[in-house]
Amino acid sequence: LIFIYMSTVFDTPPPNFPTHEVKDILLTEFSITGIPELLFSDRDQNFLITDSNKQKYILKISNSAEKLDDLIIQHKATLFIKSNDEDLKVPHQINKIKSINKDGSIYFIRLLEFIEGIFLKNINLDDSSYYKLGEFLGRLNLSLQNFDHKYKKTDFHWDVRAVNSIRSRLSSIDNQDDKNTISYFLEAYELNVQANDLKLSKMFIHNDGNDQNILIDNKGNVIGIIDFGDMVYSYRIAEPAICMAYVGLNNIDSHQPMFNVLKGYHSKFPLKNIELRSAIYIACLRLCISVTMSAWRTKLFPSNKYLSVSNNLAWNYLNKIKNEDLTILSNEMTNYVKS
């Protein structure tokens, strides 16, 4: 028996195109003369492009291990969203996907629309704002609910259903107490979510509704979401729960903002009781994914500071909430959403 290891976007170094090559790509592939500004990125290389007419674009150079099918799904999904709810702002692809051969590797390159807005991370939110955030995600999923594609990636590291992947990364965590914390939330998830797998609705979701991807206007209205790179076919309830996870780590002393996200989502795209009760377990597991991914990939790419951007906050939240009764919290959350 021969085991063949297949590299992924998570353990393959990100692209490293210098600015002068990016300018050449813009001109040759898209007939644009522009100024590239490097943006922070996890596994790809992204640039904000400003052309001679002050028009802005986003140029995305995908990781060499990225599958073309993933990029095609993202493109089709954003078109599908626009056809169902044109007021939701999502980054649409301009022209076809290009490919570049560099040093023996193939990189897919896309030019996307630039969405004007303020990142949620730069705004102080109140209870009504969290409710509106949930409403936005509900509308987003409502516009996607009938979207389908034959290609559904499995064992994707950022999919909450990929519990075996989380376990495989435990060896990257040095502290035994931290390992025990992850194991605690894994067990809670398996008992309260995975055991109900057949009863939980599934669909294609954005899968990364954090405050660095969600945009608002100058009136505080949630208007759009960027970066569909983690899009996956998974639990519908994972969409608001993932957002709740990031809201929770920024509001460690109160669960109310998380409650309001879920209530807002439910008002636009009603959830079943079993989904509502699953939300807190999925939110916690998402943070388990985050900290184990950070531990694993920081050792692979120690110079990439983006990989640990929310690591300390996530650990603080997990260590706090593991001392609470998740069953009681789950019931409180469900009752609040339905009140």
Side-chain angles (χ1 to χ4, degrees), residues 76-88 90 92 139-148:
K76 289 185 175 180
T78 55
L79 292 177
F80 196 85
I81 291 167
K82 185 175 183 179
S83 69
N84 288 300
D85 192 338
E86 60 182 13
D87 291 331
L88 295 177
V90 293
H92 297 294
R139 284 177 57 196
L140 179 69
N141 279 178
L142 194 61
S143 71
L144 265 174
Q145 67 171 327
N146 294 317
F147 177 74
D148 198 14

Side-chain angles (χ1 to χ4, degrees), residues 37-271:
E37 177 186 340
L38 183 65
L39 303 174
F40 287 113
S41 183
D42 178 4
R43 56 186 186 264
D44 303 327
Q45 195 176 18
N46 300 327
F47 294 89
L48 172 63
I49 306 299
T50 305
D51 70 11
S52 55
N53 297 317
K54 305 301 182 183
Q55 177 74 34
K56 294 181 178 180
Y57 308 91
I58 297 295
L59 185 76
K60 297 183 75 71
I61 305 177
S62 295
N63 190 289
S64 61
E66 189 74 74
K67 294 182 174 62
L68 182 60
D69 279 328
D70 284 323
L71 305 183
I72 291 173
I73 286 177
Q74 293 173 42
H75 175 50
K76 289 185 175 180
T78 55
L79 292 177
F80 196 85
I81 291 167
K82 185 175 183 179
S83 69
N84 288 300
D85 192 338
E86 60 182 13
D87 291 331
L88 295 177
K89 295 186 182 298
V90 293
H92 297 294
Q93 179 182 304
I94 301 171
N95 297 325
K96 294 181 179 180
I97 299 172
K98 312 290 185 175
S99 63
I100 298 288
N101 189 322
K102 177 179 170 63
D103 299 329
S105 296
I106 300 296
Y107 297 90
F108 296 116
I109 299 179
R110 294 170 293 158
L111 191 67
L112 304 179
E113 294 176 349
F114 174 79
I115 302 176
E116 196 71 53
I118 304 167
F119 283 112
L120 197 65
K121 66 182 177 69
N122 297 324
I123 300 297
N124 293 322
L125 303 178
D126 56 20
D127 285 346
S128 64
S129 299
Y130 288 114
Y131 183 86
K132 290 177 182 177
L133 174 55
E135 284 185 312
F136 171 83
L137 292 173
R139 284 177 57 196
L140 179 69
N141 279 178
L142 194 61
S143 71
L144 265 174
Q145 67 171 327
N146 294 317
F147 177 74
D148 198 14
H149 195 280
K150 63 181 180 180
Y151 175 70
K152 296 179 175 70
K153 52 190 172 188
T154 58
D155 294 327
F156 183 63
H157 281 281
W158 284 105
D159 183 357
V160 296
R161 295 190 297 166
V163 292
N164 289 335
S165 294
I166 300 176
R167 284 200 172 88
S168 73
R169 296 191 298 273
L170 280 176
S171 60
S172 297
I173 295 177
D174 300 323
N175 185 286
Q176 187 59 48
D177 288 340
D178 289 343
K179 289 182 180 180
N180 293 342
T181 296
I182 301 300
S183 296
Y184 166 77
F185 287 111
L186 274 170
E187 182 178 349
Y189 172 88
E190 289 170 337
L191 291 173
N192 294 279
V193 180
Q194 194 177 63
N196 297 316
D197 177 81
L198 297 178
K199 299 176 183 178
L200 296 171
S201 300
K202 301 177 186 70
M203 60 175 287
F204 278 100
I205 60 173
H206 177 278
N207 197 44
D208 198 15
N210 68 65
D211 59 2
Q212 299 189 67
N213 286 333
I214 295 173
L215 295 166
I216 65 172
D217 62 18
N218 54 17
K219 296 180 181 178
N221 298 311
V222 183
I223 58 170
I225 189 167
I226 63 170
D227 194 356
F228 280 69
D230 288 345
M231 189 175 184
V232 70
Y233 185 84
S234 191
Y235 299 131
R236 174 174 66 138
I237 183 58
E239 193 81 284
I242 287 165
C243 180
M244 289 163 56
Y246 293 104
V247 165
L249 60 83
N250 287 304
N251 295 275
I252 195 169
D253 295 324
S254 174
H255 296 306
Q256 192 63 41
M258 299 172 71
F259 283 28
N260 285 320
V261 168
L262 191 58
K263 191 177 182 72
Y265 183 100
H266 182 71
S267 73
K268 293 296 182 182
F269 199 3
L271 295 153

